[in-house]
Amino acid sequence: VVGNDWKSQTNRKIHIRDGLLSYSDARKVRVRIADDVATLTIKSKKSKIANFECEYPIPILDAEHLLKYECDGSVLSKVRHFVAVGDLTWEVDVYEALLDGIVLAEVELPSEESPLMACPTLRFGQPTGWARRPVYDSRTGIASRGRPLAPPV
């Protein structure tokens, strides 16, 4: 993400803390507190670009315990901004603490067959003015700016 122009297009935002309980190449189990809602999520690879995901609400006190004692100190904190661009909603994550300074934009497409380049609301596959070519580390699932990153959550 380039600059701050996208911020004026934000229609809502939430504060997120999350951590990994388990991680392998094939799947991960994450605990998350987003504002005042706690969830446990299981994600597994469905294909090269799609995941299967199950998310379950859990008591916030359980989530606090899991984040504090079961995530090996690797808890990420970020503010997620929701930015509408045409028919799509981009999620722009502004990381804090461990990944301070990293800003990532992500969009969920209607299907695996919906190439980003084909979206009529985008120019060259990206929102005009504030996104640039993604840098992606397949090992972590997170874009990198040359510093080591914690596993994705």
Side-chain angles (χ1 to χ4, degrees):
V1 174
V2 178
N4 292 316
D5 291 346
W6 58 270
K7 286 185 178 181
S8 65
Q9 300 170 46
T10 297
N11 54 31
R12 75 180 175 101
K13 62 184 178 179
I14 57 174
H15 186 265
I16 296 172
R17 287 184 300 139
D18 55 26
L20 289 177
L21 296 168
S22 177
Y23 177 77
S24 72
D25 288 341
R27 74 190 51 82
K28 62 184 173 181
V29 179
R30 175 191 71 212
V31 61
R32 170 176 282 175
I33 299 175
D35 286 340
D36 58 353
V37 175
T39 56
L40 190 64
T41 303
I42 302 163
K43 288 186 179 185
S44 62
K45 277 286 185 205
K46 187 171 126 181
S47 72
K48 191 171 184 176
I49 63 169
N51 292 323
F52 174 76
E53 184 173 324
C54 299
E55 188 170 85
Y56 305 98
I58 63 172
I60 199 146
L61 290 177
D62 290 355
E64 292 283 3
H65 172 87
L66 292 169
L67 287 170
K68 186 172 182 178
Y69 297 108
E70 307 299 334
C71 293
D72 298 325
S74 183
V75 175
L76 298 180
S77 181
K78 60 190 174 185
V79 176
R80 174 165 290 165
H81 301 259
F82 296 89
V83 180
V85 178
D87 294 338
L88 301 175
T89 298
W90 286 75
E91 296 176 355
V92 180
D93 290 341
V94 179
Y95 284 84
E96 303 168 333
L98 182 65
L99 298 178
D100 189 39
I102 293 180
V103 180
L104 301 177
E106 179 178 275
V107 66
E108 192 166 315
L109 298 173
S111 74
E112 287 185 64
E113 292 77 35
S114 303
L116 190 54
M117 294 295 288
C119 296
T121 57
L122 305 175
R123 182 170 177 232
F124 305 114
Q126 298 175 349
T128 304
W130 55 266
R132 65 174 130 178
R133 184 179 64 81
V135 178
Y136 184 80
D137 182 338
S138 62
R139 201 173 36 83
T140 64
I142 293 182
S144 173
R145 294 188 341 179
R147 50 178 139 157
L149 300 175
V153 288

